[in-house]
Amino acid sequence: MTSLLWIFVMLFALGALAYLRVSLLTSTIVAAIVMALGTATASISPLAWLVFLAIALPINIGAFRKSVITRPLLKLYKGIMPEMSSTEREAIEAGTTWWEADLFAGKPNWKKLHNYPVARLTAEEQAFIDGPVEEVCKMLNQHQVSHQLGDLPESIWQYLKDNGFFAMIIKKKYGGLEFSAYAQSRVLQKLAGVSSELASTVGVPNSLGPGELLQHYGTPAQQDHYLPRLAKGLEVPCFALTSPEAGSDAGAIPDFGIVCKGQWQGEEVLGMKLTWNKRYITLAPVATVLGLAFKLQDPEKLLGDKEDLGITCALIPTDVPGVETGRRHFPLNCMFQNGPTRGNEVFVPLDFIIGGPEMAGQGWRMLVECLSVGRGITLPSNSAGGIKTAAVATGAYARIRRQFKLPIGKLEGIEEPMARIGGNAYLMDAVTTLTTTGIDLGEKPSVISAIVKYHLTDRMQKCVIDAMDIHGGKGVCLGENNYLGRGYQAAPIAITVEGANILTRSMIIYGQGAIRCHPYVLAEMEAAFDPDPNKALNDFDSALFGHIGFTTSNLVRSFWLGLTSSYFSNSPHKDKTKRYYQHMNRFSANLALLSDLAMATLGGSLKRKERVSARLGDLLSQLYLASATLKRYQDEGRQTEDLALVQWAVEDALYKLQDSLDDLLNNFPMGLGRVLRVILFPFGRPLKRPSDVLDHKVAKIMQTPCASRDRLGKGQFWTPSPFNAVGIQEQTFKDILACEPLHDKICKATGKRHPFMWLDKLAAEGKALGILSEEEVALLERAEVGRMKSINVDDFDPAELRAQTLSDETQHQAA
């Protein structure tokens, strides 16, 4: 019995050491001390010491361990792991890891998260948002853009150019604004709340495109020529990557260039003949300079010994003979400029390569590094801005619109989708803020950018559908007063671009995350293919035994946190958010453990098991979304009136994480899911989705003027200008609430319960009774005008809705 007790003590000690991630040497010493104590009490036999020494000595004597253990395992590892292609290596090595690596490591450092600086706008950035951004929002008539012009008005195009909207990323020495990533995000959020066309037009030149590439890789001559012209709007840029045969698989582009000699401006120069066929290129129909990605070939070896130089990026003025642009795509009736571009054996000098001839073949690295920044800003910000506006506008509409003698927002069936909109609006704003904070700290977060692109565009689409369901016919009938319909149409566009969401979830998030975020896997892979055998052995040994300790720790942590429901794990706060941090400690350990087990059982084939990869990626993603939400709550001073929004957002993210974890265990390789379920969920699934009570609280915030509601819609365009339906409705919302006591006063005076409609008539009756002041009468009359504008829908003369008249020539051809 005493021996069993000491076995238990030893297991407990080793488990505690693994939980705390104590070093191998320290763990061995502690284990030896426990053995010595057991020997002193005659509880441990000499045979146990022999077993202990047979294990402890080999793994602690470096030379012996490397020779007997590590060397054979390295040979086996090389045989199992396929060597990475150059494009795979460049994609994995591009960018940096940041907070997502902490989440992946099984033991998040919450102090580190909360110590990241609070994102703030400079006075110059705030002035730009309050000035030019506010003004261009007032100028835009979305119905005119989408139904009448099929484009932004020329006056808006010129205003954008004149006021530096295309120059937010360009440094001031070239005439740009040099805004922070956070400021770019806030500008795009405000624009997106007004028009997806406006936000896209501004977002693309400030994202992946010539400006970004030039600043990082351009030659001084290229920078001095193009960047001032881009900053002043004298050049309109676009970037052409996607081909008909290569969409999400961008590395497979068939477009090519041949290095050769040719005539340029009357002289023979070394250049290249380019042939391309691109589509889905935003701003291509109006671009004056084309950023082009292609595969460069040098069959005559004019540049060196290689024939296939690889993906290359070049800047091509669109007035070069042979460049075909000017036509447009028609993406779901959304009128941002988007179209194809083509060229057949277009000759240009080698100096057109971004960075000059020495950057030939470096295009893929350039693209994936820059994409990690742009993809983390533009689409996530557009999605967040659209839903922030939709959340506040839906709350106002639900309070104004009445059915069954009640504001529809008080109906429980409406509260459920409203809560989804409000909770997601809070979360999405938090996520864009944390992500741009990382970018402003110098990170190029390739994994995070994939997470936020996928999850924010996905949540945006679902929230727009919820908003449409609540608005009913108001959302369906297009016109100047419809602020949802065009966003609803545009939502699938964001899902498909910059990496289709299915691919992003199935391959990119975890495909990059498992290698980049894991503390040892990339080191093991690099060691395995290192040409120096001694260095390879030493590096592999260090990574391998670090990996073994890491996996052991996460196994122990997962078991203990599951057994105790993580109640004893650390949390930076003791309030109502405490349990969220503790659950995330548990799920972080689960993610790290399951990743190692998935890689061990599937090896290199894991990248082909896309549903396993997708679910592991979901765990990492939802942890990031939840942690961003908690970071926002911290940064805004832990405003307790916002707690319902925080709780809804975090509980929704963690419940989705739990769903993905459950599905993963049901489909885990080699039938390990049942065993793992006992370790991870010993008492069943611990979390529930947000409750009906929480839904009610969020819906109430959306329908009540308060500081929480103001923070939910902070930074959006609320001015009640002639073309801003949401701004006009917001004023009506406030008027309606102010009228409710007046309505009650009239009902009491007349002894009759009047319906809450025809407020102008009630105003006249109250005036006649002498119970209303002139200001109160005017308020009721104004509120009735706004109420009817809010609940009515636009209608048109039939002639206004006819398709554009065909020219006589086109009619003749059609006949």
Side-chain angles (χ1 to χ4, degrees):
M1 186 68 182
T2 306
S3 297
L4 289 176
L5 176 62
W6 277 104
I7 291 173
F8 175 79
V9 170
M10 176 63 79
L11 290 175
F12 181 83
L14 292 175
L17 293 167
Y19 183 92
L20 296 172
R21 298 188 174 176
V22 175
S23 70
L24 174 61
L25 179 60
T26 302
S27 297
T28 304
I29 292 171
V30 172
I33 292 171
V34 173
M35 292 286 292
L37 292 173
T39 303
T41 59
S43 301
I44 293 180
S45 68
L47 180 61
W49 271 104
L50 290 175
V51 173
F52 172 75
L53 293 174
I55 297 172
L57 291 177
I59 63 175
N60 279 279
I61 300 174
F64 181 84
R65 182 181 71 203
K66 293 173 189 176
S67 176
V68 177
I69 301 174
T70 306
R71 193 181 302 277
L73 289 176
L74 175 59
K75 183 178 180 181
L76 178 65
Y77 186 88
K78 286 182 176 180
I80 294 173
M81 292 298 294
E83 191 163 1
M84 287 186 290
S85 67
S86 60
T87 54
E88 285 179 316
R89 178 176 292 277
E90 287 175 357
I92 288 171
E93 292 177 351
T96 60
T97 57
W98 188 51
W99 172 242
E100 75 277 27
D102 280 67
L103 295 171
F104 200 98
K107 191 179 178 183
N109 183 344
W110 300 116
K111 183 178 180 180
K112 177 180 177 181
L113 172 69
H114 291 314
N115 281 341
Y116 290 135
V118 178
R120 303 205 186 279
L121 297 171
T122 66
E124 181 185 4
E125 291 165 344
Q126 187 65 62
F128 184 79
I129 292 173
D130 294 340
V133 178
E134 178 81 6
E135 184 60 30
V136 81
C137 288
K138 291 178 184 177
M139 294 168 64
L140 188 124
N141 181 339
Q142 178 61 38
H143 180 68
Q144 180 191 52
V145 170
S146 57
H147 184 69
Q148 296 168 352
L149 298 180
D151 192 7
L152 297 176
E154 182 56 38
S155 59
I156 287 183
W157 274 104
Q158 195 59 50
Y159 189 86
L160 297 175
K161 295 175 183 178
D162 292 344
N163 287 275
F165 279 83
F166 298 151
M168 290 193 291
I169 63 168
I170 296 176
K171 296 184 183 300
K172 290 184 178 180
K173 68 178 181 179
Y174 299 112
L177 298 176
E178 200 172 344
F179 279 177
S180 65
Y182 177 66
Q184 294 173 49
S185 175
R186 307 313 288 191
V187 169
L188 293 175
Q189 286 189 34
K190 188 165 184 173
L191 297 178
V194 174
S195 165
S196 61
E197 286 90 346
L198 186 57
S200 298
T201 300
V202 172
V204 169
N206 290 291
S207 180
L208 174 63
E212 179 80 3
L213 294 171
L214 279 169
Q215 292 199 124
H216 284 88
Y217 308 105
T219 65
Q222 290 171 338
Q223 292 173 341
D224 290 341
H225 174 74
Y226 278 112
L227 290 175
R229 295 178 61 80
L230 289 168
K232 294 176 183 177
L234 300 176
E235 302 280 6
V236 177
C238 71
F239 191 84
L241 175 61
T242 304
S243 301
E245 294 85 1
S248 296
D249 184 12
I253 53 175
D255 315 284
F256 64 93
I258 305 293
V259 177
C260 62
K261 293 182 179 180
Q263 292 294 314
W264 182 257
Q265 297 179 348
E267 297 181 9
E268 184 178 71
V269 299
L270 188 60
M272 47 194 173
K273 284 185 178 179
L274 304 175
T275 297
W276 72 90
N277 177 22
K278 305 287 191 178
R279 64 178 180 182
Y280 307 148
I281 311 305
T282 299
L283 296 185
V286 295
T288 61
V289 59
L290 168 70
L292 183 68
F294 56 93
K295 290 182 176 177
L296 186 60
Q297 302 166 13
D298 187 10
E300 298 180 33
K301 298 185 178 179
L302 298 174
L303 298 180
D305 296 333
K306 291 179 65 176
E307 291 189 20
D308 294 322
L309 299 177
I311 294 176
T312 302
C313 295
L315 286 180
I316 316 295
T318 56
D319 59 1
V320 169
V323 177
E324 300 178 29
T325 57
R327 293 177 65 81
R328 291 180 66 179
H329 295 314
F330 191 28
L332 292 176
N333 216 43
C334 296
M335 297 302 177
F336 64 97
Q337 291 283 346
N338 185 278
T341 174
R342 303 180 185 90
N344 183 36
E345 296 190 348
V346 176
F347 181 81
V348 296
L350 282 178
D351 288 343
F352 281 28
I353 295 174
I354 297 176
E358 58 268 28
M359 292 300 289
Q362 300 300 310
W364 184 241
R365 178 179 292 276
M366 293 161 62
L367 290 173
V368 292
E369 286 187 349
C370 288
L371 182 61
S372 70
V373 174
R375 187 167 56 183
I377 300 174
T378 305
L379 283 174
S381 300
N382 291 356
S383 299
I387 295 309
K388 284 169 62 179
T389 295
V392 175
T394 300
Y397 179 78
R399 193 66 179 80
I400 295 168
R401 178 71 166 139
R402 292 182 176 235
Q403 296 283 272
F404 311 109
K405 299 181 180 180
L406 281 174
I408 63 171
K410 294 189 176 183
L411 302 173
E412 287 195 357
I414 298 293
E415 285 184 341
E416 183 179 2
M418 282 188 69
R420 289 196 292 264
I421 300 168
N424 275 300
Y426 187 92
L427 176 144
M428 292 165 74
D429 199 1
V431 170
T432 57
T433 299
L434 180 60
T435 304
T436 53
T437 295
I439 294 171
D440 285 330
L441 290 173
E443 303 292 341
K444 294 184 177 179
S446 55
V447 178
I448 286 178
S449 68
I451 289 172
V452 298
K453 186 275 170 180
Y454 162 52
H455 284 278
L456 266 61
T457 57
D458 179 70
R459 285 171 180 254
M460 175 271 296
Q461 185 183 43
K462 291 179 170 63
C463 286
V464 171
I465 292 171
D466 279 334
M468 288 289 284
D469 287 348
I470 293 168
H471 284 75
K474 172 75 173 178
V476 169
C477 294
L478 293 172
E480 290 189 2
N481 287 311
N482 186 325
Y483 46 80
L484 283 178
R486 296 301 182 184
Y488 173 78
Q489 287 180 312
I493 301 172
I495 299 295
T496 65
V497 299
E498 291 189 9
N501 274 5
I502 290 176
L503 172 134
T504 302
R505 175 177 180 256
S506 299
M507 298 176 65
I508 295 177
I509 293 174
Y510 191 75
Q512 286 186 315
I515 297 174
R516 289 306 309 276
C517 296
H518 197 290
Y520 300 105
V521 167
L522 183 58
E524 289 170 339
M525 295 174 69
E526 290 175 339
F529 298 109
D530 193 314
D532 182 339
N534 290 327
K535 186 174 184 299
L537 181 63
N538 289 331
D539 290 350
F540 188 77
D541 179 78
S542 177
L544 174 65
F545 279 87
H547 195 159
I548 291 171
F550 178 73
T551 304
T552 304
S553 174
N554 287 313
L555 174 62
V556 172
R557 289 180 66 83
S558 292
F559 173 72
W560 176 251
L561 294 173
L563 193 65
T564 62
S565 193
S566 63
Y567 270 108
F568 303 110
S569 68
N570 71 299
S571 170
H573 296 284
K574 306 302 180 185
D575 58 10
K576 291 186 178 180
T577 65
K578 175 182 178 179
R579 289 295 290 149
Y580 301 144
Y581 290 101
Q582 292 178 327
H583 286 307
M584 292 167 71
N585 291 334
R586 174 181 183 174
F587 288 133
S588 176
N590 294 168
L591 167 62
L593 174 65
L594 293 172
S595 294
D596 280 331
L597 293 177
M599 286 186 277
T601 54
L602 294 172
S605 66
L606 176 58
K607 65 181 180 181
R608 294 187 292 275
K609 292 292 186 180
E610 294 178 12
R611 299 182 78 173
V612 171
S613 178
R615 288 160 181 151
L616 286 166
D618 288 345
L619 270 62
L620 178 60
S621 298
Q622 300 298 347
L623 283 170
Y624 182 73
L625 302 185
S627 61
T629 303
L630 292 170
K631 166 69 169 166
R632 175 182 179 177
Y633 186 56
Q634 173 79 8
D635 288 351
E636 292 182 349
R638 309 189 71 78
Q639 305 287 339
T640 54
E641 58 266 39
D642 294 354
L643 194 56
L645 294 166
V646 177
Q647 290 176 304
W648 195 100
V650 176
E651 289 178 20
D652 178 70
L654 295 185
Y655 187 81
K656 286 182 168 68
L657 183 156
Q658 181 179 252
D659 273 349
S660 291
L661 177 53
D662 195 29
D663 289 341
L664 177 61
L665 294 178
N666 287 336
N667 296 277
F668 206 82
M670 299 177 63
L672 291 175
R674 291 184 179 179
V675 176
L676 289 169
R677 187 177 293 279
V678 174
I679 296 172
L680 305 186
F681 289 154
F683 304 112
R685 291 165 48 122
L687 302 180
K688 297 178 181 179
R689 68 175 73 249
S691 67
D692 294 353
V693 172
L694 199 51
D695 283 355
H696 171 75
K697 290 179 180 179
V698 173
K700 186 176 180 180
I701 288 173
M702 294 167 68
Q703 300 174 77
T704 307
C706 59
S708 291
R709 188 174 184 271
D710 291 343
R711 282 189 285 271
L712 196 62
K714 183 180 179 181
Q716 299 307 104
F717 180 55
W718 301 116
T719 304
S721 55
F723 304 133
N724 188 19
V726 295
I728 295 170
Q729 180 174 265
E730 185 67 10
Q731 182 59 57
T732 298
F733 163 68
K734 295 173 182 177
D735 288 346
I736 289 292
L737 293 179
C739 285
E740 287 182 349
L742 303 181
H743 174 265
D744 292 340
K745 183 191 290 189
I746 296 168
C747 291
K748 184 177 180 180
T750 59
K752 179 181 177 182
R753 190 65 190 173
H754 297 277
F756 198 86
M757 60 179 68
W758 306 310
L759 301 181
D760 52 342
K761 295 180 181 178
L762 285 177
E765 189 169 352
K767 183 178 181 180
L769 292 171
I771 61 173
L772 297 180
S773 67
E774 291 294 330
E775 291 79 7
E776 291 171 333
V777 169
L779 173 62
L780 283 162
E781 291 173 343
R782 184 175 74 240
E784 180 62 16
V785 172
R787 188 183 74 86
M788 293 307 296
K789 188 176 182 64
S790 181
I791 67 174
N792 274 337
V793 299
D794 296 289
D795 50 43
F796 302 89
D797 185 292
E800 292 183 72
L801 299 181
R802 288 178 188 161
Q804 182 180 353
T805 304
L806 299 174
S807 68
D808 292 339
E809 180 181 353
T810 307
Q811 290 184 40
H812 177 73
Q813 290 174 350

